[in-house]
Amino acid sequence: MTGKARIAVLISGAGTNMAALVYASRIAPCPYEVVLVASNDPEAAGLKLAAAEGIATFALPHKGMTREAHDAAMEAAVLKAGADHIVLAGYMRILSDGFVERWEGRMLNIHPSLLPLYKGLDTHARAIAAGDSHAGTSVHLVTPELDAGEVLAQIAVPIVPGDTPASLAERVKLAEHQLYPRAVADYVSRWRNPAWLLDQLRARALALPETCEQESFGSAGFRVGEGKSGKYFAYFADRPHGHERIALLVKASGMDELHALVEDQPETYFKPAFYGARGWVGIVLDRPDLDWGDVEAWLQRSWRAVAPKRLTRLMDVAEEF
Ligand code: GRF
């Protein structure tokens, strides 16, 4: 199966979260490895640790550089290291939109608050001043808007009497060191997580007109049409009979297409047991480079092959224009 995800960690300071990520990666089985630690501050303590751990490092002060030029240099180092994800761990720079957009879905950050509360700086002082019972930490995807991307994981941490921003920060970091490696590991391996794959598939299948979900022989199935007259157009198959992989079963146009697909792209398509004989093709879903646009197109085709005429007729008319 495919190798580990390759992450580049960007830091500006102590780098304790970076250290947590590195040490977690040394406990098998970990689905990622740290291939670069980079910083905008050559004095960042974390750089020395990374180097001592035999990890490639890169440092470039941002002073005197435009944001775009500095980001471009950091990005070049990330690409040179062959990283496929960027993990921000106390990287105290706002990133340019272009950089963020190029890495959308592949860049994560950890922020010391229970987002959406307290975006930006001084999170602990603000939580204490507000009289909150808990502070916390959030791992989120990075989008151009600061600290606003999808939250992937959170831990709440109590604020205790007498807490100062510094004492609270220290406690929150203990939680961060547990949370970040786990959240990164889950995220980079979601492509082979059956629950995540089914969620993705479900959202797309149920977005088609007049569809519903109905289990079939223990697998999730998706039907179009009303009640008993409805027909299945897709099945989610977690390691179907005779296969190791997680798959989507949809209708091919016939046996010729089915056999051609399996012959041309055996990594992607297969002839499933039982269903294959009736013209259903298996599409392997647990691939890191899976194109969800293709999956969507297959779902539409399959839906169209079995949907009642009154639904497809409207589409045929629409397509003529
Ligand atoms: C962490 O608290 C993190 O949430 C925030 O910056 C801090 C970095 O600490 N973004 P360290 O450098 O990992 O020790």
Side-chain angles (χ1 to χ4, degrees):
M1 178 78 68
T2 327
K4 291 173 187 255
R6 297 168 62 83
I7 70 170
V9 185
L10 271 48
I11 63 170
S12 295
T16 64
N17 278 285
M18 177 276 298
L21 288 160
V22 168
Y23 291 120
S25 78
R26 303 271 162 87
I27 307 170
C30 183
Y32 69 81
E33 60 185 312
V34 179
V35 296
L36 176 74
V37 175
S39 179
N40 60 319
D41 178 1
E43 300 305 318
L47 285 174
K48 287 192 193 73
L49 174 64
E53 285 293 346
I55 298 168
T57 59
F58 175 80
L60 179 69
H62 56 272
K63 207 159 174 243
M65 292 181 85
T66 64
R67 193 174 297 286
E68 283 72 20
H70 187 261
D71 283 357
M74 297 298 279
E75 189 176 9
V78 166
L79 291 171
K80 187 166 163 242
D84 44 39
H85 290 77
I86 296 178
V87 175
L88 307 178
Y91 189 58
M92 302 304 284
R93 300 272 302 155
I94 306 263
L95 300 172
S96 52
D97 287 357
F99 185 24
V100 172
E101 277 156 16
R102 278 192 295 284
W103 287 83
E104 207 174 327
R106 296 182 299 145
M107 195 192 286
L108 280 65
N109 183 38
I110 189 160
H111 180 77
S113 80
L114 293 172
L115 288 173
L117 291 176
Y118 311 125
K119 296 173 179 173
L121 296 174
D122 301 324
T123 56
H124 302 309
R126 286 150 72 199
I128 292 170
D132 293 352
S133 66
H134 286 77
T137 178
S138 309
V139 175
H140 65 95
L141 290 175
V142 178
T143 54
E145 195 187 332
L146 186 68
D147 299 329
E150 183 192 342
V151 172
L152 302 172
Q154 287 185 317
I155 302 186
V157 175
I159 297 176
V160 301
D163 254 342
T164 62
S167 65
L168 180 55
E170 206 178 313
R171 190 173 319 114
V172 168
K173 278 201 189 187
L174 294 176
E176 293 191 321
H177 299 161
Q178 303 298 315
L179 184 69
Y180 213 7
R182 173 75 74 90
V184 170
D186 285 352
Y187 188 75
V188 300
S189 53
R190 73 200 184 292
W191 59 271
R192 59 175 179 222
N193 172 353
W196 184 81
L197 288 169
L198 177 55
D199 276 351
Q200 299 299 307
L201 190 65
R202 179 180 285 132
R204 288 164 174 86
L206 296 181
L208 294 166
E210 254 186 57
T211 47
C212 67
E213 182 171 344
Q214 193 178 319
E215 206 180 277
S216 165
F217 297 104
S219 294
F222 299 93
R223 288 163 72 89
V224 52
E226 280 162 359
K228 284 219 169 82
S229 65
K231 286 191 175 137
Y232 282 102
F233 66 97
Y235 299 95
F236 175 75
D238 186 358
R239 295 173 190 87
H241 186 74
H243 292 273
E244 290 293 298
R245 314 296 291 273
I246 303 170
L248 162 69
L249 309 191
V250 284
K251 278 260 184 200
S253 64
M255 292 317 257
D256 287 349
E257 185 188 26
L258 170 52
H259 288 136
L261 287 168
V262 176
E263 198 176 317
D264 291 352
Q265 299 171 67
E267 286 299 310
T268 306
Y269 297 102
F270 65 94
K271 183 176 175 183
F274 317 115
Y275 292 88
R278 288 188 281 127
W280 291 79
V281 62
I283 304 175
V284 176
L285 293 178
D286 52 339
R287 285 178 284 146
D289 56 350
L290 176 70
D291 181 341
W292 282 99
D294 281 352
V295 172
E296 236 167 80
W298 269 110
L299 286 170
Q300 274 166 23
R301 263 188 65 176
S302 194
W303 177 93
R304 218 179 163 124
V306 300
K309 279 278 159 297
R310 73 187 153 75
L311 292 177
T312 54
R313 214 176 295 134
L314 286 174
M315 298 207 164
D316 293 341
V317 171
E319 261 167 29
E320 271 176 37
F321 290 98

